[in-house]
Amino acid sequence: MIFASDNWAGAHPAIAENLAAHASGYVSAYGMSELDRKLERRFLEIFEKEVAVFFVGTGTAANSLALASANRPGGVVFCHREAHVHVDECGAPEFFSHGARLCPVDGERGKMDAARLEAEIRRFPPGFVHGGQPMAVTMTQATESGTIYSLDEIETIAAIAQAHNLPLHMDGARFANALVGLGVTPAEMTWKSGIDLLSFGGTKNGCWCAEAVVLFDPAKALEMHFLRKRAAQLFSKSRFVAAQFEAYFAGDLWLDLARHANAMAARLAAGIAASESSRLAWDAEANEVFAIMKREVATGLQRQGAVFYDWHVPHHLAGSLAEDEDLYRLVTSFATKSEDVDRFVAAC
Amino acid sequence: MIFASDNWAGAHPAIAENLAAHASGYVSAYGMSELDRKLERRFLEIFEKEVAVFFVGTGTAANSLALASANRPGGVVFCHREAHVHVDECGAPEFFSHGARLCPVDGERGKMDAARLEAEIRRFPPGFVHGGQPMAVTMTQATESGTIYSLDEIETIAAIAQAHNLPLHMDGARFANALVGLGVTPAEMTWKSGIDLLSFGGTKNGCWCAEAVVLFDPAKALEMHFLRKRAAQLFSKSRFVAAQFEAYFAGDLWLDLARHANAMAARLAAGIAASESSRLAWDAEANEVFAIMKREVATGLQRQGAVFYDWHVPHHLAGSLAEDEDLYRLVTSFATKSEDVDRFVAAC
Amino acid sequence: MIFASDNWAGAHPAIAENLAAHASGYVSAYGMSELDRKLERRFLEIFEKEVAVFFVGTGTAANSLALASANRPGGVVFCHREAHVHVDECGAPEFFSHGARLCPVDGERGKMDAARLEAEIRRFPPGFVHGGQPMAVTMTQATESGTIYSLDEIETIAAIAQAHNLPLHMDGARFANALVGLGVTPAEMTWKSGIDLLSFGGTKNGCWCAEAVVLFDPAKALEMHFLRKRAAQLFSKSRFVAAQFEAYFAGDLWLDLARHANAMAARLAAGIAASESSRLAWDAEANEVFAIMKREVATGLQRQGAVFYDWHVPHHLAGSLAEDEDLYRLVTSFATKSEDVDRFVAAC
Amino acid sequence: MIFASDNWAGAHPAIAENLAAHASGYVSAYGMSELDRKLERRFLEIFEKEVAVFFVGTGTAANSLALASANRPGGVVFCHREAHVHVDECGAPEFFSHGARLCPVDGERGKMDAARLEAEIRRFPPGFVHGGQPMAVTMTQATESGTIYSLDEIETIAAIAQAHNLPLHMDGARFANALVGLGVTPAEMTWKSGIDLLSFGGTKNGCWCAEAVVLFDPAKALEMHFLRKRAAQLFSKSRFVAAQFEAYFAGDLWLDLARHANAMAARLAAGIAASESSRLAWDAEANEVFAIMKREVATGLQRQGAVFYDWHVPHHLAGSLAEDEDLYRLVTSFATKSEDVDRFVAAC
């Protein structure tokens, strides 16, 4: 009953096997191998567009490099207050952008409120040097709250970013979970909706270590080559990332894995909603469930071996929890078993 | 006949298999798993000392973070002119150290000349703000020229660094090749000889992507945790590095792989030394052979499928090459086959 | 009727004259002249302690360098939400600290609320790498809201900073105004109350360009020499700063100038408090008056030549302004004339 | 007999007086005053072109910001080995450019050798990520060796920079000395010869603290506003710089001051050339004289109160000094008196 995080799982067998299958033989290093090139082309097919693709080692690296490509002196990046870049990356985005600032934007259930985003951007009038200058907008899809921006919502954010001439970045650490949740194509969820820069995550969905920065404007690729190398993110044996992605995409494995993770979350959510002692804080749309549980129930589950974390209570929920209740996050993954879900539900 | 670089090889089968063996099951993320901890302890045994170990993704990251831990404003790092940090890392060491400068030190066959190192350091008198201030010394073992510093030579460099109160870093991208070349222990080649910071490389010697920063003063570990995370080098599924190191160290596989690579280089060197058309530029001490060959011989070999690079001619060789000759670098690895070496030798 | 800012004034005649008096003759450059040394010693007398003093060109430089001296990877600086470092320095503090983050702390009338400060610091548990790590606390004295922290309030903040092992910085852009407002000594308002680092401002109080970083622990001076030089803040003809400070301190001119500015603010505040159409937003404690005025009154005054800015309405005032009212900031200086104050009051 | 440096002098009386004349009254802060604007326009007249002008506090700031405006990840700046940016700025250019590297180019008498510059740039092939990428070329005029690039020489360097698509920066700390030395116009010595970015220095030639970054492509001005502010180089009472420049330019004072300094250097050089015990290392073209003197003569002069520094002996002079000789630098300024020159000459 491990619901701590989707990165507590290891690698899917097909991905592990493909790594082993590519272990022998010599190929060009530093991303110049046939396999690297093949997988880069695979991204073009998946996104139905010429894109520039850069394999990197962590989601933090992908986010930080994507934002660094938009760097301006005194730059300000607008993100949700609970965004991974804002609360979980130890200042990496600021470091890679030479001191750019992250400006938190509020909004319920992990989504930036469009009006608030607009208001925050307007606090930095063009050319006014004292406060700094807007540099980029970043949104997480699926969000850190397990919700998903609809295409309409992405377009609304994109329109604001475009009106202020700001590139729009998507942190897609859980890109596949959002994609199958919405039932749209990768192109629709990104550049067709106004996304300029993407962190494409494979790690949380069954890879060991496979992340990519995707630039929808390939004209900006040259600088990113140097940004990535200078950031120590160009792997010599880069094919080990490419091999993971090869298996990840083969036969749409990635979509199947995400569908499984989302289905497990839905099953968990349904069980919690139906339980007597617990309830959902809000609907689970991807592979994360946020539940309000009595503390003693949670503790009992943890004693039975369940692993999951309590979560800070967002403003809009304040007041709706009883004294003996708390908010908890439960994350499912490609590796989650329905038996574990059912055991959890039975005990809560 | 691939002698382009040791990072053109993939992963040793035992390492690939161990990755697959650890693919299933849930473990704590971000370096907190049992396996991560077990491998950290393994480093303590190997180095016979309490050390702090930080897994990272690339040698450039290991070097840059190790040097960043010594950061000073206006800092100057002393390295060999041909050091990897100086010529092959796209400014990553400078970036991670906020603009520190690399000061090249000359010396034959890839080794810093001790007297020149001393002279370069003295160009930055303590407290004189205009020129900047010394910050660290870094040496590569085995060197980029395929040579190995003896323990005496390391101690000589270390004495200079200590006299100026500078930490001494070793870029051990080819640590194992040097170790078996010298026939000493890891402790002897590092802290017992005065090394403070180590980039411990596994990738070039049979891993996919397994590097570590080793701090011989564990009191400095806390800052490195934040440096690594801010540098986007903390892997969520960190066990994929630990699993590689587990197989790498098991039964001293790492030493066997390095011995093989060095033996292949020795075989290649012997063949070249005995050939009529080619000769060694200098002795091969680890797994790199530098050969002076007629250009037409080299071209002929390349037409037959051999892959290797020509190399810039260092000052001390200038004048000793004939018009129709050039300098070439040939690198062997754990995966080099003696048949390939023999075919190469036969043709040169 | 210029109440736009205290930096709209020029230089006090005594300071301008002293600059001219030192214009001829040769002295050592880069802060090594007799005059530089003399003024450094003057700071020791003023603060009754061995301190390290570094002349710089702007308040932003002083703040950024002071905070940079406390730099940590992933560092977080705690400041009031309306602090100059947070809203008016274009990311300079973050840039000089290599991407450190400013964490805003709320509190009424420009002062950090101690309980909120404690709560914000606690959001970054020691050793937890994901969120970053606390690095310093900074407070502005007098505040950007024209209020003054009492010695007790400083000590309360200092106790929190010390409990978390964080240096406490004071942005003293209006140091003299606070000092005469409290009627205490420089030592009492700084190191005796727990301040570790000070930005000592002379510019707003009658100098052209005279700011200093003061380190109350002189052991940390060596690094600051390099930080300042690397930041391009070491003036070759440094005596032009020293000469300003010489006149500034002579006969306690600096205290007289601050007393005058504060008295003008008090006169202005009293007039506004007594007026029919306007009222004080809160008491003026230093040289800034925050007034709630009918927009048409403000516009009328501006038409008569008064220069002053409207101000964003802080949360605690929201709801207390009428539809036709707005909040305005009025700043007095060493150069403010009582006739101008009286003309303003008569018209409002 | 102070020949230590031109920055040992203070300010010219006309400049000191103009500062005092502008001390009273209120004007807009942060470079928005009438006087600031007037002086910016003055630069347009002087350079016969629309340019963007940014007042800053130090030459190091001007150089670092000009180069930062050309910033690229992994960037490499080409400069003479003895350039001020390379040996005297404590890493400020690297810091402001986020870790860019300075690549020293050799050349006699302080001037980059064009062929060597070309060769150094070619070491960084376009798109090859490992070594970094060229970012800018910077030249000092007059040079640190007291020589002056002719217009032809500037154009030769500019042609190389342009061929590689690199902006060309001129460090004009002694701009006026070079200008009157060549007898050309500011336009001819800069943009008409291919200069893109200029550090325009006033401090060494009679100002207290008056430097400017001049961008010959005003389209790049917006970013520089933020670069300057983030670098803590935007003065609140910016008119104190403008007032210095006002007097500096009035009646071509700046050219007269430079002519005087150069004439004093020529007088000194002629005296040394005619002396028995000393000789010129090379011709003095601006306001610096490099003399080879017997050490005992130099010491004798110093005992009589002369202040000047010995200098490192460049490669091309090695071997041409006798055992008892050394190389010395003598700098004249606007304030140098012919009596002092004559006394020096008489004693050497």
Side-chain angles (χ1 to χ4, degrees):
Chain A
M1 295 193 292
I2 305 292
F3 302 107
S5 179
D6 30 12
N7 57 32
W8 281 47
H12 186 270
I15 290 167
E17 283 159 23
N18 203 47
L19 260 182
H22 281 288
S24 65
Y26 295 97
V27 303
S28 296
Y30 296 115
M32 308 297 275
S33 76
E34 282 301 306
L35 188 66
D36 286 289
R37 292 292 160 82
K38 175 184 159 189
L39 266 298
E40 286 174 17
R41 286 193 302 273
R42 192 75 184 85
F43 273 85
L44 273 60
E45 294 167 19
I46 286 168
F47 284 99
E48 306 171 43
K49 189 178 190 312
E50 285 290 317
V51 297
V53 183
F54 298 85
F55 301 151
V56 297
T58 64
T60 295
N63 290 338
S64 298
L65 288 170
L67 294 174
S69 75
N71 189 49
R72 288 180 182 173
V76 181
V77 175
F78 301 87
C79 64
H80 191 273
R81 184 177 299 279
E82 300 175 21
H84 198 267
V85 291
H86 190 238
V87 297
D88 275 323
E89 300 189 351
C90 192
E94 292 97 324
F95 173 61
F96 282 99
S97 293
H98 319 307
R101 184 182 293 184
L102 298 177
C103 176
V105 177
D106 287 304
E108 292 193 5
R109 302 179 184 194
K111 299 184 193 176
M112 281 187 287
D113 180 86
R116 287 180 181 166
L117 171 62
E118 175 72 30
E120 289 294 337
I121 296 174
R122 283 182 184 280
R123 288 177 45 224
F124 300 88
F128 183 74
V129 297
H130 302 279
Q133 58 182 335
M135 158 182 147
V137 177
T138 178
M139 60 196 308
T140 312
Q141 179 79 326
T143 74
E144 289 80 3
S145 297
T147 56
I148 305 178
Y149 285 94
S150 70
L151 295 193
D152 275 359
E153 287 171 329
I154 299 172
E155 284 165 13
T156 301
I157 300 288
I160 294 170
Q162 281 162 20
H164 292 282
N165 206 21
L166 300 176
L168 178 56
H169 168 254
M170 178 177 279
D171 174 356
R174 295 189 178 95
F175 187 84
N177 303 94
L179 200 68
V180 301
L182 286 183
V184 299
T185 68
E188 287 167 347
M189 202 167 82
T190 56
W191 62 274
K192 287 187 175 174
S193 295
I195 299 295
D196 300 294
L197 306 160
L198 172 66
S199 298
F200 182 91
T203 306
K204 286 186 195 294
N205 192 35
C207 295
W208 272 127
C209 162
E211 306 282 319
V213 178
V214 180
L215 306 182
F216 292 107
D217 178 0
K220 297 191 173 166
L222 182 62
E223 191 194 30
M224 183 56 75
H225 277 289
F226 287 93
L227 277 172
R228 179 179 58 174
K229 175 71 183 174
R230 187 184 66 168
Q233 290 284 340
L234 176 58
F235 293 107
S236 58
K237 297 184 176 174
S238 173
R239 65 169 136 158
F240 96 92
V241 177
Q244 293 176 72
F245 275 135
E246 186 181 41
Y248 188 64
F249 292 137
D252 283 343
L253 176 65
W254 66 306
L255 302 180
D256 291 342
L257 298 182
R259 275 189 206 103
H260 175 79
N262 288 11
M264 289 298 101
R267 186 181 189 115
L268 185 57
I272 288 167
S275 85
E276 284 180 18
S277 71
S278 303
R279 62 192 195 278
L280 295 176
W282 53 81
D283 284 351
E285 298 174 1
N287 67 320
E288 297 187 285
V289 178
F290 289 80
I292 297 168
M293 300 171 67
K294 285 198 199 309
R295 255 185 297 279
E296 68 176 19
V297 172
T299 310
L301 279 158
Q302 287 163 342
R303 263 197 301 266
Q304 293 173 57
V307 182
F308 56 97
Y309 296 125
D310 58 338
W311 212 246
H312 71 100
V313 179
H315 291 300
H316 67 275
L317 271 193
S320 63
L321 273 72
E323 277 285 303
D324 59 348
E325 289 181 332
D326 216 335
L327 178 65
Y328 298 92
R329 186 187 77 159
L330 303 155
V331 190
T332 58
S333 79
F334 79 93
T336 302
K337 291 176 185 159
S338 55
E339 304 90 88
D340 277 355
V341 171
D342 295 346
R343 276 177 60 210
F344 187 95
V345 167
C348 88
Chain B
M1 296 193 293
I2 306 292
F3 302 106
S5 180
D6 30 11
N7 58 32
W8 281 46
H12 186 271
I15 290 167
E17 282 160 24
N18 203 47
L19 259 182
H22 281 287
S24 64
Y26 295 96
V27 303
S28 295
Y30 296 115
M32 309 297 276
S33 76
E34 282 300 306
L35 188 66
D36 286 289
R37 292 293 159 82
K38 175 184 159 188
L39 266 298
E40 286 174 18
R41 285 193 303 271
R42 192 76 184 83
F43 273 85
L44 272 61
E45 294 167 20
I46 287 169
F47 285 99
E48 306 171 44
K49 189 181 190 308
E50 285 290 316
V51 298
V53 183
F54 298 84
F55 300 152
V56 297
T58 65
T60 296
N63 290 337
S64 299
L65 288 171
L67 294 174
S69 75
N71 189 50
R72 288 180 184 175
V76 180
V77 175
F78 301 86
C79 62
H80 191 272
R81 185 177 296 280
E82 300 176 22
H84 199 265
V85 290
H86 190 239
V87 298
D88 275 323
E89 300 190 351
C90 193
E94 293 97 324
F95 172 61
F96 282 100
S97 294
H98 320 307
R101 184 181 293 183
L102 298 179
C103 176
V105 177
D106 287 305
E108 292 194 7
R109 302 180 185 195
K111 298 184 195 177
M112 281 186 288
D113 181 86
R116 287 181 181 165
L117 172 61
E118 176 72 29
E120 289 294 336
I121 295 173
R122 283 182 184 281
R123 287 178 46 227
F124 300 89
F128 183 73
V129 297
H130 302 280
Q133 58 182 335
M135 158 181 146
V137 177
T138 176
M139 60 196 308
T140 312
Q141 177 82 323
T143 74
E144 290 79 4
S145 296
T147 54
I148 305 179
Y149 286 95
S150 69
L151 295 194
D152 274 358
E153 288 171 329
I154 299 172
E155 284 165 15
T156 300
I157 300 288
I160 294 170
Q162 281 162 20
H164 293 281
N165 206 20
L166 300 175
L168 177 57
H169 168 252
M170 176 177 279
D171 174 356
R174 295 186 179 98
F175 186 85
N177 303 96
L179 199 68
V180 301
L182 287 184
V184 299
T185 67
E188 286 167 347
M189 201 169 81
T190 55
W191 62 274
K192 287 187 175 174
S193 295
I195 299 296
D196 300 294
L197 306 160
L198 171 67
S199 298
F200 182 91
T203 306
K204 286 186 195 293
N205 193 34
C207 295
W208 271 127
C209 161
E211 305 282 320
V213 178
V214 181
L215 307 182
F216 292 107
D217 178 359
K220 297 192 174 166
L222 182 62
E223 191 193 31
M224 182 56 75
H225 278 288
F226 287 93
L227 278 172
R228 178 178 62 172
K229 175 68 184 175
R230 187 184 68 168
Q233 290 284 342
L234 176 59
F235 294 106
S236 58
K237 296 183 177 176
S238 173
R239 66 168 137 158
F240 95 92
V241 177
Q244 292 176 72
F245 276 134
E246 186 181 42
Y248 188 63
F249 292 136
D252 283 342
L253 175 65
W254 66 306
L255 302 179
D256 291 341
L257 298 182
R259 276 189 205 102
H260 176 80
N262 287 12
M264 289 298 101
R267 186 182 188 115
L268 185 57
I272 288 167
S275 85
E276 284 180 17
S277 70
S278 303
R279 63 190 193 280
L280 295 177
W282 54 81
D283 284 351
E285 298 174 1
N287 67 320
E288 298 187 285
V289 178
F290 289 79
I292 298 168
M293 301 170 67
K294 287 198 198 305
R295 255 186 297 280
E296 68 177 17
V297 172
T299 310
L301 279 158
Q302 286 163 342
R303 262 197 302 268
Q304 293 171 57
V307 182
F308 57 97
Y309 295 125
D310 59 337
W311 211 247
H312 70 100
V313 178
H315 291 300
H316 67 275
L317 273 193
S320 63
L321 273 71
E323 276 286 301
D324 60 348
E325 289 181 331
D326 216 337
L327 178 65
Y328 299 92
R329 186 188 76 159
L330 303 155
V331 191
T332 58
S333 78
F334 78 94
T336 301
K337 291 177 185 158
S338 55
E339 305 89 89
D340 277 356
V341 171
D342 296 345
R343 278 177 58 210
F344 187 94
V345 167
C348 90
Chain C
M1 295 191 293
I2 305 293
F3 302 107
S5 180
D6 29 12
N7 57 32
W8 281 47
H12 187 272
I15 290 167
E17 282 160 24
N18 203 47
L19 259 182
H22 282 285
S24 64
Y26 296 97
V27 302
S28 296
Y30 297 115
M32 309 297 275
S33 75
E34 282 300 307
L35 188 65
D36 286 289
R37 292 294 160 82
K38 174 183 161 190
L39 266 297
E40 286 174 18
R41 286 193 303 272
R42 193 75 184 84
F43 273 85
L44 272 61
E45 294 167 19
I46 286 169
F47 285 99
E48 306 171 44
K49 189 180 189 310
E50 285 291 316
V51 298
V53 183
F54 298 85
F55 300 153
V56 297
T58 65
T60 295
N63 290 338
S64 298
L65 288 171
L67 294 174
S69 75
N71 189 48
R72 289 179 182 174
V76 180
V77 174
F78 301 86
C79 64
H80 191 273
R81 183 177 299 279
E82 300 175 22
H84 199 267
V85 290
H86 190 239
V87 299
D88 275 322
E89 300 188 352
C90 193
E94 292 97 324
F95 173 61
F96 282 100
S97 294
H98 320 306
R101 184 181 293 182
L102 298 178
C103 176
V105 177
D106 287 304
E108 291 194 7
R109 303 180 183 193
K111 298 184 195 177
M112 281 187 287
D113 180 85
R116 286 180 182 165
L117 171 62
E118 175 72 31
E120 288 294 337
I121 295 174
R122 284 183 183 279
R123 287 177 47 225
F124 300 88
F128 184 73
V129 297
H130 302 279
Q133 58 182 335
M135 158 181 146
V137 177
T138 176
M139 61 196 307
T140 312
Q141 177 82 324
T143 75
E144 290 80 2
S145 296
T147 55
I148 304 178
Y149 286 94
S150 70
L151 295 194
D152 275 358
E153 287 171 330
I154 299 172
E155 284 165 14
T156 300
I157 299 287
I160 294 171
Q162 282 163 18
H164 293 281
N165 207 20
L166 300 175
L168 178 57
H169 167 253
M170 176 177 278
D171 175 356
R174 294 187 179 97
F175 186 85
N177 303 95
L179 200 67
V180 301
L182 287 184
V184 299
T185 69
E188 287 166 347
M189 202 168 81
T190 56
W191 62 275
K192 287 187 175 174
S193 295
I195 299 295
D196 300 294
L197 306 160
L198 172 67
S199 298
F200 182 91
T203 307
K204 286 187 195 293
N205 193 36
C207 295
W208 272 127
C209 162
E211 305 282 319
V213 178
V214 180
L215 307 183
F216 292 107
D217 178 0
K220 297 193 174 165
L222 181 62
E223 190 191 33
M224 183 56 75
H225 278 288
F226 288 93
L227 278 172
R228 178 178 62 173
K229 175 70 183 175
R230 187 183 67 168
Q233 290 285 340
L234 176 59
F235 293 106
S236 58
K237 296 184 177 175
S238 173
R239 67 170 135 159
F240 95 93
V241 177
Q244 293 175 71
F245 276 134
E246 185 181 43
Y248 189 63
F249 292 135
D252 283 341
L253 174 66
W254 66 306
L255 302 180
D256 291 342
L257 298 182
R259 275 188 207 104
H260 175 80
N262 288 11
M264 290 298 102
R267 186 181 188 116
L268 185 57
I272 288 167
S275 85
E276 283 180 18
S277 70
S278 304
R279 64 190 193 281
L280 295 177
W282 54 81
D283 283 351
E285 298 173 1
N287 67 320
E288 298 187 284
V289 177
F290 289 80
I292 298 168
M293 301 171 67
K294 286 198 199 308
R295 254 185 298 279
E296 70 176 16
V297 172
T299 310
L301 278 158
Q302 286 162 343
R303 261 198 301 267
Q304 293 172 56
V307 182
F308 56 98
Y309 295 126
D310 59 338
W311 212 247
H312 71 101
V313 179
H315 292 299
H316 67 275
L317 272 193
S320 65
L321 274 72
E323 275 286 301
D324 60 348
E325 290 180 332
D326 216 337
L327 179 65
Y328 299 92
R329 185 188 77 159
L330 303 155
V331 191
T332 58
S333 78
F334 79 93
T336 302
K337 292 175 184 159
S338 55
E339 306 89 89
D340 277 354
V341 170
D342 297 345
R343 276 177 60 212
F344 187 95
V345 167
C348 89
Chain D
M1 297 192 291
I2 305 292
F3 302 106
S5 180
D6 30 12
N7 57 32
W8 281 46
H12 186 271
I15 290 167
E17 283 160 22
N18 204 47
L19 259 183
H22 282 286
S24 64
Y26 296 97
V27 303
S28 296
Y30 297 113
M32 308 297 275
S33 76
E34 281 301 305
L35 188 65
D36 287 289
R37 292 293 160 82
K38 175 185 160 189
L39 266 298
E40 286 173 18
R41 285 193 304 272
R42 193 74 184 85
F43 272 86
L44 273 61
E45 295 168 18
I46 287 169
F47 285 98
E48 307 171 45
K49 188 178 189 312
E50 285 289 317
V51 299
V53 183
F54 298 85
F55 301 152
V56 296
T58 66
T60 295
N63 290 338
S64 299
L65 287 171
L67 294 174
S69 76
N71 189 48
R72 288 178 182 176
V76 180
V77 175
F78 301 87
C79 63
H80 191 273
R81 185 177 296 281
E82 300 175 23
H84 198 267
V85 290
H86 190 239
V87 297
D88 275 323
E89 300 188 352
C90 192
E94 294 97 323
F95 172 60
F96 282 100
S97 293
H98 318 308
R101 185 181 293 184
L102 299 178
C103 176
V105 177
D106 287 305
E108 291 192 8
R109 302 180 184 194
K111 297 184 192 177
M112 280 186 288
D113 180 85
R116 286 181 181 165
L117 171 63
E118 176 71 30
E120 289 293 336
I121 296 173
R122 284 183 184 280
R123 287 178 46 226
F124 301 88
F128 183 74
V129 297
H130 301 280
Q133 58 182 334
M135 160 181 145
V137 177
T138 177
M139 61 196 305
T140 312
Q141 179 80 324
T143 74
E144 288 80 3
S145 296
T147 56
I148 305 179
Y149 286 94
S150 70
L151 294 194
D152 275 358
E153 288 172 328
I154 299 172
E155 284 165 14
T156 300
I157 299 287
I160 294 170
Q162 281 163 20
H164 293 280
N165 206 22
L166 300 176
L168 179 56
H169 168 253
M170 177 177 279
D171 174 356
R174 294 187 179 97
F175 187 85
N177 303 94
L179 200 67
V180 301
L182 287 183
V184 299
T185 68
E188 287 167 346
M189 201 169 80
T190 56
W191 63 273
K192 287 186 175 175
S193 295
I195 300 294
D196 300 294
L197 306 160
L198 173 66
S199 298
F200 182 92
T203 306
K204 286 187 196 293
N205 192 35
C207 295
W208 272 127
C209 161
E211 305 283 318
V213 178
V214 181
L215 307 182
F216 292 107
D217 178 0
K220 297 191 173 167
L222 181 61
E223 191 192 30
M224 184 55 76
H225 278 288
F226 287 92
L227 277 173
R228 178 179 60 174
K229 175 69 184 174
R230 187 185 65 169
Q233 289 285 342
L234 176 58
F235 294 106
S236 58
K237 297 184 177 176
S238 171
R239 66 168 135 158
F240 95 93
V241 177
Q244 292 176 72
F245 276 134
E246 187 181 41
Y248 188 64
F249 292 136
D252 284 341
L253 175 66
W254 65 305
L255 303 179
D256 291 341
L257 298 182
R259 274 188 207 104
H260 176 79
N262 288 10
M264 289 298 101
R267 187 182 189 115
L268 185 58
I272 288 167
S275 86
E276 284 180 19
S277 70
S278 304
R279 63 192 194 278
L280 295 177
W282 53 82
D283 283 351
E285 299 174 2
N287 66 320
E288 298 186 284
V289 178
F290 289 79
I292 297 168
M293 300 171 67
K294 286 197 200 306
R295 254 187 297 279
E296 68 176 17
V297 172
T299 310
L301 279 158
Q302 287 163 342
R303 262 197 301 267
Q304 293 172 57
V307 183
F308 56 98
Y309 296 125
D310 58 339
W311 212 246
H312 70 101
V313 179
H315 292 299
H316 67 275
L317 272 193
S320 63
L321 273 71
E323 275 286 301
D324 60 347
E325 289 182 331
D326 215 337
L327 179 65
Y328 298 92
R329 186 188 76 159
L330 303 154
V331 191
T332 58
S333 78
F334 79 95
T336 302
K337 292 177 184 158
S338 55
E339 304 90 89
D340 278 353
V341 171
D342 296 344
R343 276 177 59 211
F344 186 95
V345 166
C348 89

